[in-house]
Amino acid sequence: MSTEKKVMLDSGIEVQPIYTTANIQEEFPGKYPYTRGVHEGMYRDKLWTMRQYAGFSTAKASNERYHFLLSQGVTGLSVAFDLPTQIGYDSDDDMADGEVGKVGVAIDSIEDMEELFAGIELEKVSTSMTINATGFILLALYIALAKKKGSDVKKISGTIQNDILKEYAARGTYIYPPKPSMRIITDIFEYCSKEVPKWNTISISGYHIREAGADAVQELAFTLSNGKAYLKAAIEKGLDINVFAKRLSFFFNAHNNLFEEVAKFRAARRMWANITKELGATNEEAMKLRFHTQTGGSTLTAQQPQNNIVRVAIQTMAAVLGGTQSLHTNGFDEALSLPTEAAASIALRTQQIVAFESGVTDTVDPLAGSYYVETLTNEIEEQAWLLIKKIDLMGGAVDAIEQGFMQEQIAKSSYAYTKAIENNTKIIIGVNQFVSKEKNDTPVFKIDESIRKIQSDKLATLKANRNNEVASACIQKIKDIAHSAENLMPSVIEAVENKCTLGEIAHALRSVWGEWQ
C-alpha cells in the first residue's frame, strides 16, 4: 500500500499506513520477559491501585482531603509535599517564604506527620510519597509514626519516589551532590530490605522527564538508564539484586497518543527484565518492572479546561491497556490551580468507569497481537536501546547527567514539540485549533497565605517543648555517620522520634556534603 501522507510520532517513529504479522512473537503474561504484564491474570485477579495525588496547605487540611478520597473509593494515598519540604527547609526558614503549603503539604516534624495521617490505619493503606532529596527523612517520619501508632513496620506498605537522578536531569529539587545522594538511596535499600520489607524503596521516575519535554522514547531510555545506575550502586554496596530489586518500582507518564503509550509500557517491561537479568538477577520477582502511572500534567490546557476530562480518559485507557499497577488521574483544572474537590472526584470516577464499565479489564493485554502495537513496541524498544547504549558509553546515567547529555536531549525535544504547536503541525484542541473566545470561569483552588505563620508557630512550640539536648545529640550523630560508611536510616529515625525537624536534618547533611550547583 502506498500513500503520500507521512505520519510521525513525537518520538520520531514513522507510522506506516498498514501493519502485518511481521515482528509479532508469542509471549505470555506473568512470564519472562513480561511484555504482556507482570501477573498472569492481571486485572481479572486484581485491579490497579487507584490513587489521587493530593497535598496542600497544612497537614490537617490535607488529612481532610485524604478522608474524602478514601470515602470516594481510592485504594491508596499519594502525598504531594510543598517545595520547602522537598528541598529540606522548615516552614519558618527564610528560604521557605512564599512557598509554604502551595504545591503540596508542609511537613516539618513528627507532629505534622501525626496530623497528616490522623484516623488512617497505616497497615491498611498503601501510601505513595512523591519526595526525593528529603525522601529518607519522610520515610523516617512515616516509620516513626507507624511505631508510635503501634503498627507493625514489617506490614506497612507504600513507596517513596527517592529518584534523585531525574532531579538533576529534569526537575531540579535536589540538595546534595550525586555521590552522597546515591549513598542515601542505597542506605534506604539496605535498611528497608531488612526492616520494612513491604516498602517500595524507590520509584524510578520517567514522569518528570516527560513533563520536562522528553518524548516517549527518551522517557523510557533515560528512566531505565537511571534504574540501571541504582542497580549497579546497590550491587557495589554488596546488596543482593535478587532481594532489593523486588522493591524497586517505576513511575511513568501517560500522554495522549494511546498506541505509543501502550507500546512504551510494554517495551519497558521487556527491557527491564533484560537489564536485571544481565546484572545477575535470577529471581523472577526481581526482574519484573512494576509501575505507577500519572496522566500527563503537561498535556492539560488552561484553554477550554473541560476538554482535559477527555484527555485524562484517553491517558487512563493507555495506562490500563499498558498494564499499570497503580494510577493517578489528574483533575481537569490542574493547568489553573491545585485540583478542586469536584475535579478530583471526576478524575477518580474516570478510573472507576474504565475499571468497571469499559470491558478493558476482562482479558489480559487486550491489544496484544495488534500488528501495529506489536511493531511499535519493538520500534520503541529499539530506539530506546540506542540511547541507553550512548549513555553506557559515557559511563552510565550519573556521568551522562554530569556531562549534561540528558538535559540537552530533553531541551531539544521540548523545543521541537513547542515549535510544532506554534506552526500548527501538532494540533492541540482549544489552543491552536478550534479556539473559542468564551471566558474561562472554572473555579480555582486557593491556598491561604497564613499557612506559613501557622507552621512557624507550631515549630516554635515544638522546639520549646522537646528535649533540646537530646535533639542536638541526634543531629550531631547524623553528621558523624555521614562521614562514615554506617547506614544513615536508624539515626534519622531516632532524630525524628526525638522531634528533630526536617530542616535541621537536611542542614546537618548540607554541612557535611554541601549543595549541588
Side-chain angles (χ1 to χ4, degrees):
M1 178 181 281
S2 63
T3 177
E4 292 181 9
K5 185 178 180 183
K6 196 171 186 177
V7 177
M8 301 292 288
L9 299 176
D10 293 334
S11 53
I13 292 170
E14 185 177 354
V15 179
Q16 301 304 318
I18 191 168
Y19 289 84
T20 65
T21 55
N23 296 327
I24 291 183
Q25 55 197 58
E26 192 173 80
E27 291 180 330
F28 294 93
K31 303 291 183 190
Y32 180 90
Y34 315 108
T35 314
R36 298 192 61 192
V38 291
H39 305 301
E40 193 177 330
M42 288 301 288
Y43 307 134
R44 284 173 67 102
D45 294 338
K46 183 188 176 187
L47 290 175
W48 63 93
T49 302
M50 297 184 192
R51 300 186 188 277
Q52 283 307 114
Y53 186 45
F56 54 87
S57 183
T58 61
K60 185 174 183 294
S62 292
N63 175 262
E64 288 168 4
R65 176 66 66 90
Y66 297 154
H67 279 285
F68 166 75
L69 291 170
L70 288 165
S71 75
Q72 296 299 300
V74 299
T75 52
L77 297 176
S78 186
V79 184
F81 297 95
D82 73 357
L83 196 57
T85 303
Q86 292 181 49
I87 52 177
Y89 294 103
D90 287 333
S91 298
D92 60 357
D93 196 295
D94 289 344
M95 290 292 286
D97 192 18
E99 290 294 340
V100 177
K102 289 289 175 70
V103 299
V105 62
I107 297 294
D108 297 318
S109 72
I110 186 76
E111 291 183 357
D112 287 331
M113 210 66 169
E114 282 185 82
E115 272 196 298
L116 189 65
F117 292 101
I120 295 168
E121 292 185 58
L122 300 190
E123 285 182 28
K124 293 185 178 177
V125 68
S126 165
T127 301
S128 172
M129 297 190 280
T130 303
I131 195 78
N132 296 283
T134 55
F136 67 107
I137 305 174
L138 270 300
L139 176 58
L141 284 163
Y142 197 85
I143 292 167
L145 177 62
K147 287 162 72 176
K148 194 169 184 181
K149 278 175 168 266
S151 302
D152 182 350
V153 294
K154 291 198 179 330
K155 291 181 180 175
I156 60 171
S157 65
T159 307
I160 41 168
Q161 194 163 99
N162 196 32
D163 174 8
I164 203 65
L165 292 179
K166 67 94 178 46
E167 295 296 327
Y168 301 120
R171 191 163 172 264
T173 63
Y174 47 76
I175 302 174
Y176 314 111
K179 286 185 174 61
S181 294
M182 292 293 277
R183 176 255 173 101
I184 291 173
I185 288 167
T186 55
D187 278 2
I188 292 168
F189 288 178
E190 182 181 49
Y191 179 83
C192 287
S193 66
K194 295 170 187 168
E195 304 297 335
V196 198
K198 291 180 75 176
W199 197 267
N200 294 320
T201 49
I202 193 167
S203 177
I204 304 159
S205 175
Y207 183 85
H208 303 99
I209 290 170
R210 191 70 174 275
E211 290 293 288
D215 60 39
V217 167
Q218 290 170 333
E219 177 191 0
L220 179 56
F222 297 161
T223 305
L224 296 188
S225 281
N226 289 347
K228 199 171 172 182
Y230 294 127
L231 289 177
K232 287 184 170 179
I235 290 166
E236 283 167 18
K237 193 181 176 76
L239 303 184
D240 182 352
I241 190 171
N242 286 309
V243 176
F244 76 81
K246 292 177 187 175
R247 302 319 306 176
L248 271 56
S249 67
F250 285 79
F251 175 26
F252 288 116
N253 209 313
H255 272 222
N256 288 328
N257 191 305
L258 181 80
F259 299 108
E260 184 177 30
E261 296 304 296
V262 171
K264 176 190 76 181
F265 297 136
R266 298 173 90 250
R269 278 191 292 271
R270 189 158 68 202
M271 293 175 75
W272 186 246
N274 287 319
I275 286 168
T276 50
K277 191 174 185 180
E278 203 174 277
L279 288 173
T282 54
N283 185 299
E284 285 201 1
E285 295 302 311
M287 292 189 273
K288 292 178 179 179
L289 181 146
R290 301 167 183 83
F291 67 101
H292 170 71
T293 310
Q294 182 173 338
T295 56
S298 61
T299 68
L300 303 179
T301 63
Q303 303 91 328
Q304 302 176 21
Q306 286 80 5
N307 293 348
N308 294 329
I309 297 171
V310 182
R311 293 185 177 103
V312 169
I314 291 168
Q315 293 162 11
T316 300
M317 290 291 279
V320 173
L321 289 166
T324 193
Q325 276 62 66
S326 168
L327 178 61
H328 162 79
T329 33
N330 290 330
F332 72 86
D333 55 0
E334 287 190 57
L336 304 167
S337 70
L338 291 172
T340 58
E341 205 167 88
S345 290
I346 292 170
L348 176 59
R349 295 291 181 252
T350 303
Q351 292 198 51
Q352 291 166 335
I353 289 166
V354 168
F356 297 106
E357 297 185 28
S358 71
V360 298
T361 61
D362 292 347
T363 189
V364 179
D365 195 12
L367 290 183
S370 155
Y371 301 150
Y372 179 35
V373 170
E374 295 291 355
T375 306
L376 193 52
T377 300
N378 294 339
E379 288 177 334
I380 285 175
E381 179 177 358
E382 187 181 325
Q383 293 297 315
W385 279 129
L386 290 175
L387 269 177
I388 288 172
K389 281 170 187 168
K390 277 187 185 177
I391 291 165
D392 286 345
L393 287 171
M394 292 177 190
V398 176
D399 291 301
I401 288 164
E402 288 180 339
Q403 292 171 43
F405 173 73
M406 289 188 194
Q407 298 92 311
E408 182 186 6
Q409 294 297 307
I410 293 167
K412 283 180 179 176
S413 178
S414 179
Y415 178 76
Y417 184 82
T418 304
K419 289 297 289 181
I421 293 171
E422 288 174 355
N423 64 28
N424 282 0
T425 56
K426 178 79 180 171
I427 304 301
I428 307 294
I429 305 304
V431 176
N432 61 2
Q433 291 286 320
F434 311 110
V435 179
S436 68
K437 293 181 180 176
E438 291 174 16
K439 187 182 174 188
N440 185 355
D441 56 359
T442 303
V444 295
F445 191 89
K446 287 189 172 18
I447 299 295
D448 193 325
E449 291 293 336
S450 67
I451 302 303
R452 186 171 184 236
K453 183 173 186 322
I454 292 168
Q455 286 298 112
S456 298
D457 289 347
K458 281 169 68 180
L459 278 165
T461 303
L462 173 99
K463 289 175 183 177
N465 293 331
R466 73 183 179 184
N467 185 324
N468 283 299
E469 274 187 34
V470 172
S472 296
C474 288
I475 293 299
Q476 186 56 50
K477 187 175 180 182
I478 288 170
K479 290 180 185 178
D480 294 342
I481 290 172
H483 285 292
S484 74
E486 190 180 333
N487 193 301
L488 268 167
M489 283 303 295
S491 63
V492 178
I493 293 167
E494 182 186 12
V496 299
E497 286 175 330
N498 284 289
K499 299 190 177 181
C500 293
T501 69
L502 174 132
E504 288 171 333
I505 295 166
H507 285 320
L509 293 175
R510 277 186 176 98
S511 72
V512 177
W513 294 329
E515 287 190 277
W516 178 249
Q517 300 294 330

